[in-house]
Amino acid sequence: MQTLSFRSQSLEETQEFLSSAYTPMKIGGRPQETGASISRRQVDSLMIDKLDFDYTMAYDAGALEKVCLITVHRGSMVDLTDGRNDVCGPGETYLIAPPDLPYLGEVRGRGTPSRCSTPHCSTLWP
C-alpha cells in the first residue's frame, strides 16, 4: 500500500497539489483562512483520499479521466457544473463528474471544517 500526505495553509500550494493529484484546476478561498489537509491510501489503481478544508473553497477543474466518488462527512459540497446547484451534505455519496468532463463547484466548510473522502479508481472506463 502506498500513502501520501499534504497539509498547507497556502491557497497557492493547495491549488498546485490538487492540480497534480487530480486534474488541473483553479481554486479560490479567503487568503487568511486556507487550511487544507489531504491523505491518500492507494492499492494498485484504487485510491482513497481523505480531504479536510477549514474554509469554503471554490474550484473549476478539468476532466478527471477517472471515476471519482465523494462521500461528505462534514460541511457540504455543491456541484455548480452547467448551472446546477446540487448540494450534498454529511452522509451523502455522489459521482463528482463524468470522467471525461470538466466540473465546477464548492467545498463549503465555513464555521465547521468540511471533510470528504474520495474512493476513486484511477483507470478510465473502457
Side-chain angles (χ1 to χ4, degrees):
M1 177 173 22
Q2 299 172 359
T3 60
L4 171 74
S5 293
F6 171 81
R7 182 179 289 285
S8 179
Q9 295 291 322
S10 164
L11 193 63
E12 293 80 19
E13 287 177 4
T14 301
Q15 178 174 291
E16 185 177 316
F17 178 83
L18 293 171
S19 290
S20 67
Y22 300 105
T23 188
M25 67 177 69
K26 300 264 188 217
I27 66 169
R30 293 182 175 187
Q32 68 276 21
E33 301 173 15
T34 57
S37 175
I38 301 165
S39 61
R40 172 177 287 172
R41 291 183 176 163
Q42 181 173 351
V43 176
D44 298 323
S45 65
L46 178 66
M47 294 181 278
I48 299 177
D49 295 352
K50 183 167 66 170
L51 298 90
D52 288 293
F53 297 96
D54 62 8
Y55 61 102
T56 294
M57 180 190 77
Y59 57 85
D60 186 350
L64 277 168
E65 305 299 332
K66 59 187 85 170
V67 174
C68 182
L69 299 173
I70 303 269
T71 300
V72 180
H73 299 284
R74 278 194 313 244
S76 61
M77 291 197 66
V78 183
D79 179 5
L80 300 171
T81 307
D82 294 330
R84 287 191 291 271
N85 190 25
D86 298 336
V87 179
C88 293
E92 294 183 279
T93 299
Y94 70 100
L95 177 69
I96 193 164
D100 57 343
L101 297 176
Y103 57 103
L104 176 73
E106 292 180 348
V107 178
R108 294 183 179 166
R110 195 171 297 151
T112 301
S114 60
R115 171 174 284 169
C116 305
S117 58
T118 60
H120 61 278
C121 178
S122 64
T123 57
L124 289 172
W125 289 356

